[in-house]
Amino acid sequence: AIETIFVHVARAYEVLSIDSKRKEYDQERKSLASERPKESLDSSVNGLQNRAEKAIRENDLKNAVYFLEEAIRIMPEGYDKAALYLRYGQVLARIPGLLHPAVDALKMSARLNPSGVQAYLELGSVFGKAGLVNQAMAAFHDALKRDPNNKTAQEALQNLKK
């Protein structure tokens, strides 16, 4: 059993250490990825999202987190992934003790969709609930940079200044 592991490691090292073999391996991986039907990927992500939303409605946040993590794992980069990170952050924020992972997920959503406002509004809300007023104000200001007329951000800033 251990011999098999060493054989695999030696082969992997050989492939990765020789430029021509590594390029061949990379091409093979790209080819396999492009052969995967987009519909099956979409339906897998949609199925996971639906299961997450059902778990959220049932207040089963542990399973909601699991399904959202799986959806994020298989979703390619882009706007839809930003929406998944947003929802993931929203769910994490509802679980006591998960402030940092919630903030990380919301920041990732903002990075993937920099012109979007919702991630910044959620960040402001999460920071505000945690009593981190300066961070909350900064997040709401970031939301206003993207949408200067956003009523939610304006009202939140007014409330934080009181």
Side-chain angles (χ1 to χ4, degrees):
I2 200 137
E3 279 181 23
T4 306
I5 293 170
F6 282 115
V7 168
H8 286 293
V9 169
R11 284 185 189 154
Y13 178 78
E14 182 183 342
V15 167
L16 295 175
S17 65
I18 300 170
D19 283 340
S20 61
K21 287 188 177 190
R22 185 174 61 245
K23 286 178 185 173
E24 187 179 312
Y25 172 80
D26 289 342
Q27 279 302 113
E28 208 174 284
R29 298 278 299 160
K30 284 180 188 175
S31 169
L32 288 173
S34 67
E35 289 173 12
R36 187 174 186 185
K38 185 172 179 359
E39 295 110 32
S40 86
L41 178 64
D42 287 346
S43 64
S44 296
V45 170
N46 287 337
L48 289 165
Q49 284 178 293
N50 290 338
R51 291 174 78 180
E53 291 303 323
K54 181 177 185 250
I56 293 166
R57 284 190 302 276
E58 295 171 354
N59 207 33
D60 182 3
L61 301 181
K62 180 181 173 187
N63 275 321
V65 165
Y66 170 77
F67 293 130
L68 288 167
E69 286 172 346
E70 285 301 300
I72 287 168
R73 186 180 61 76
I74 65 172
M75 168 77 71
E77 296 298 322
Y79 178 75
D80 290 329
K81 197 162 195 169
L84 278 174
Y85 271 107
L86 176 64
R87 192 62 170 136
Y88 180 53
Q90 290 170 329
V91 172
L92 289 172
R94 291 175 55 184
I95 302 171
L98 294 182
L99 173 69
H100 291 292
V103 167
D104 290 345
L106 294 169
K107 285 181 178 179
M108 179 59 77
S109 176
R111 252 183 256 123
L112 292 171
N113 183 14
S115 62
V117 175
Q118 195 61 39
Y120 296 101
L121 294 175
E122 292 292 334
L123 275 167
S125 176
V126 167
F127 285 135
K129 287 176 185 169
L132 302 169
V133 176
N134 290 337
Q135 290 93 324
M137 290 179 76
F140 289 124
H141 280 295
D142 283 340
L144 288 172
K145 286 178 192 172
R146 284 144 185 88
D147 178 8
N149 299 318
N150 188 286
K151 298 288 184 212
T152 303
Q154 291 171 350
E155 290 171 11
L157 282 170
Q158 288 301 318
N159 290 334
L160 287 169
K161 289 177 184 175
K162 292 180 182 179

